[in-house]
Amino acid sequence: MLMRETGSQKPAKRGGGCEENASGEAVSASISDEVNCPQNETDNAGQGLLERAFARANLKRAWKRVRANKGAAGVDGLDIEQTAEHLQSRWPAICEQLLSGVYRPSPVRRVVIPKPDGGERELGIPTVTDRLIQQALLQVLQPLLDPTFSEHSYGFRPGRSAQDAVLAAQRHVSSGRKVVVDVDLEKFFDRVDHDILIDRLRKRIADRAVIRLIRAYLNAGTQINGVVEKSRCGAPQGGPLSPLLANVLLDEVDRELERRGHCFVRYADDANVYVRSQKAGQRVMALLKRLYEKLHLSFNESKSAVTSAFGRKFLGYELWSRRNEVRRAVSYKAQKQFKQRIRWHTRRSCGRSLQQIVDDLRPYILGWKAYFGLSQTPTVWRELDEWIRHRLRAIQLKQWKRGTTTYQALRALGASVEVAKKIAGNARRWWNNSRYELNRVLTIAWFDSLGLPRFS
C-alpha cells in the first residue's frame, strides 16, 4: 500500500502555483527558458504527486524520453517539433489546468497495424502533449508502484526484460515442470474495465488528483474517422501509462498464483504457468479463467493451451531439450518473420546500391541479434548469416548486369580470369548464380567491409 506516500500530505499551492513549475527542456531545447515556470521551492516531501510530476527536472526528463521515442502526431496533427513550439505559449495554461483538476486530455487517434499472423492490432496514439504529461506522471508513479508488483512479472518494469522472463521460464522447465499453461488474453488493452482498474489503483494510491487525471485519460475516447467514441473499457496501447496500469490490474492474479505456490512468468498480458502434469495444468487453466473473469477479461482460446513446454513460443523464443538439458532457441515463427523483413529490405527492384541496402539492414539485424542473443542454437545463426549473404550476392550480380559488366567487376575484386568468365557466362538465375565460385570473390570479409553484421 502507498497510502502514506501520497494521502495525507499537504499539497503545494495549486492553481496559481502552476507558475512555480517547469515546462520541460524545450520543453528540452525548443521551448525557451523564458516560458519555463520557475522551480517550485517546496521540498518534494511536502508536494503532492502532481506537483512532483510537473516539476522542472521531471518534465525535462519526460520531454527527452518523448522526443527519443519519436512517434506519430495525435488528433491535433502536431508532431514533436510543432508541439514544442505550441507549448512555448500554451504550457503555463495547461499546467494550471492540470494542477486545478480541470484538464481534459484529447482523444487518442486510432491506428490499425497488421500483425505478422494476418490479424490486426489497434493502437491509440495520444497527442504529443498528452504523451509528455503521461510520461511525467509515469516517472513519479513507477518508483512507488513497481516495488509492490510480483517478482514473477517482467513486462515494462525497470531493470527487467523479456530476456529475464525467458531465463525464468527455462529455470522452471529445467526443474521438471515440463507442462505449460499458456494464457493469451483476448484484446487485453481494448477490454480493460475502467471501474475495476480505478478501484485497484485507489488501493495503492491515495492522491485523488492523480486518480482523477488517470480517469480522464481512460475516458478520453478514441477518434475514428473524425468521430470520437467513448467507452468504459480500454487503455490505449500507445500511451506511456498503459503498461504500468496493466501491471496494476493483473498483479492480483500474480498474487493468487504465488499464494498457491505456482511457478509462473508473466510479461504484460502473456502469462505462462509451469506444472508437472497435464492434469495439474487443466486445474490451473480453470483457476486462471475464474481469476480473469473477475477482472472482466477473457482468453483467446485459439492461442491459449495446456501443452508441452518444449516448442511452445514465448516472447519469440522456444525451449527444446538436448541430452536432458533445456536450451533456448529462436522460435520458428520469429525466424519466418525475420526472413520476411529481410526479403523486403533486399528486394532486387529497389534501385539502391548494395552499400545503401546494407546500411538499411544494419540497425534491424543488430536489434534482432541483441534481442535473440540468448539463443543456444549456433546452427541457426550460421544458416541465417549464409542466407543473408546469398541474397546480397544475387543483388550485386543483377546490379553489375545493369552497369559495369560482371566480368570487369569480378576482375577488379581480384577474381581470376577463369572464375570471372565462368560467373559472367553463367546464364542461370541470379539466385543460383550467386553460389559457388562467387562466394570466393564476395567473401565474408568483403561483407564485413560493407558493415554487414554477423550473427556467428
Side-chain angles (χ1 to χ4, degrees):
M1 295 288 288
L2 301 174
M3 309 294 274
R4 287 198 303 271
E5 299 268 5
T6 61
S8 60
Q9 297 165 353
K10 182 178 178 180
K13 182 179 179 182
R14 294 190 176 177
C18 173
E19 297 193 353
E20 295 180 328
N21 289 291
S23 75
E25 189 177 31
V27 239
S28 198
S30 303
I31 295 182
S32 65
D33 286 338
E34 285 77 7
V35 302
N36 282 350
C37 305
Q39 176 65 46
N40 195 317
E41 299 298 332
T42 306
D43 182 34
N44 273 354
Q47 291 180 308
L49 288 178
L50 285 188
E51 285 79 7
R52 290 163 57 187
F54 305 128
R56 181 188 300 272
N58 192 60
L59 272 170
K60 285 186 175 182
R61 286 200 300 124
W63 180 254
K64 286 180 180 180
R65 177 59 63 88
V66 170
R67 182 184 286 277
N69 289 343
K70 300 180 181 178
V75 295
D76 60 359
L78 301 180
D79 61 18
I80 299 286
E81 301 305 326
Q82 292 168 328
T83 298
E85 183 177 349
H86 170 74
L87 290 179
Q88 288 185 18
S89 59
R90 286 292 300 153
W91 179 253
I94 293 172
C95 186
E96 176 87 21
Q97 294 171 5
L98 285 164
L99 295 180
S100 61
V102 299
Y103 179 77
R104 292 296 174 263
S106 301
V108 298
R109 181 170 65 89
R110 188 178 73 168
V111 176
V112 179
I113 59 174
K115 290 183 179 181
D117 58 7
E120 292 181 337
R121 174 180 286 112
E122 292 185 2
L123 294 181
I125 308 299
T127 64
V128 178
T129 297
D130 282 325
R131 296 207 294 271
L132 170 64
I133 294 168
Q134 287 194 39
Q135 180 64 37
L137 195 56
L138 173 68
Q139 290 170 181
V140 169
L141 291 180
Q142 194 153 46
L144 299 177
L145 294 174
D146 191 79
T148 71
F149 296 148
S150 166
E151 65 179 42
H152 300 281
S153 168
Y154 292 86
F156 307 105
R157 298 184 61 187
R160 289 171 169 246
S161 66
Q163 289 91 336
D164 293 328
V166 171
L167 290 171
Q170 183 184 27
R171 289 194 296 271
H172 295 324
V173 177
S174 297
S175 71
R177 295 170 175 84
K178 298 181 180 180
V179 174
V180 62
V181 184
D182 186 354
V183 172
D184 185 89
L185 295 177
E186 183 80 34
K187 296 184 177 180
F188 169 72
F189 283 97
D190 296 333
R191 297 185 178 180
V192 170
D193 188 288
H194 295 173
D195 292 335
I196 294 176
L197 173 57
I198 292 297
D199 175 71
R200 302 311 189 263
L201 200 56
R202 283 196 183 109
K203 294 176 180 178
R204 296 170 183 264
I205 299 175
D207 192 311
R208 293 182 179 180
V210 170
I211 298 295
R212 183 168 56 242
L213 181 56
I214 292 175
R215 169 74 87 168
Y217 273 111
L218 294 174
N219 292 341
T222 303
Q223 182 171 297
I224 305 172
N225 298 324
V227 178
V228 177
E229 294 186 358
K230 301 284 186 178
S231 173
R232 64 182 296 273
C233 296
Q237 279 188 263
L241 271 177
S242 293
L244 178 67
L245 298 179
N247 281 331
V248 169
L249 184 65
L250 297 175
D251 188 62
E252 70 178 61
V253 178
D254 298 343
R255 295 304 182 182
E256 182 60 22
L257 291 173
E258 282 182 350
R259 190 182 71 80
R260 294 170 180 256
H262 289 298
C263 294
F264 67 97
V265 179
R266 181 174 66 79
Y267 192 93
D269 56 329
D270 289 331
N272 279 7
V273 185
Y274 297 91
V275 295
R276 297 183 185 276
S277 70
Q278 192 79 10
K279 188 174 181 179
Q282 295 296 344
R283 289 196 300 269
V284 171
M285 179 67 84
L287 168 67
L288 288 172
K289 284 186 177 181
R290 293 195 302 272
L291 293 174
Y292 285 126
E293 282 173 1
K294 287 176 59 180
L295 301 176
H296 296 181
L297 300 171
S298 58
F299 290 176
N300 182 332
E301 298 291 348
S302 64
K303 294 183 178 180
S304 301
V306 178
T307 186
S308 171
F310 296 117
R312 187 72 178 180
K313 183 175 72 72
F314 180 54
L315 301 176
Y317 283 86
E318 61 184 39
L319 300 176
W320 60 293
S321 180
R322 182 182 181 187
R323 298 173 185 170
N324 295 321
E325 180 184 359
V326 178
R327 296 195 175 191
R328 305 175 298 271
V330 183
S331 71
Y332 171 77
K333 184 176 180 180
Q335 293 181 52
K336 183 178 178 181
Q337 292 170 357
F338 174 79
K339 286 189 172 184
Q340 288 175 343
R341 182 76 174 268
I342 296 297
R343 287 190 184 98
W344 185 83
H345 280 292
T346 59
R347 56 201 187 280
R348 291 194 285 276
S349 60
C350 59
R352 294 170 297 156
S353 70
L354 194 67
Q355 183 65 67
Q356 290 174 320
I357 293 172
V358 169
D359 291 343
D360 193 28
L361 281 176
R362 182 177 173 81
Y364 176 65
I365 292 177
L366 287 175
W368 204 84
K369 179 181 178 181
Y371 182 81
F372 288 105
L374 290 179
S375 174
Q376 296 171 299
T377 51
T379 301
V380 171
W381 293 134
R382 185 171 62 251
E383 290 174 351
L384 287 176
D385 273 338
E386 293 172 356
W387 179 78
I388 293 171
R389 289 193 293 267
H390 189 178
R391 288 193 64 83
L392 294 177
R393 289 187 183 104
I395 291 172
Q396 186 64 85
L397 276 177
K398 185 173 184 180
Q399 291 180 348
W400 282 338
K401 284 290 185 182
R402 289 202 305 262
T404 306
T405 66
T406 303
Y407 176 81
Q408 291 172 332
L410 290 168
R411 288 289 290 145
L413 288 171
S416 66
V417 172
E418 181 182 355
V419 169
K421 284 183 177 179
K422 188 172 183 179
I423 296 174
N426 194 330
R428 287 184 290 178
R429 292 177 178 269
W430 309 116
W431 181 254
N432 291 331
N433 199 16
S434 61
R435 296 180 184 271
Y436 314 121
E437 287 85 356
L438 189 58
N439 291 7
R440 302 175 188 172
V441 182
L442 303 185
T443 62
I444 296 175
W446 185 76
F447 282 109
D448 288 344
S449 71
L450 293 179
L452 181 68
R454 291 196 219 176
F455 285 119
S456 57

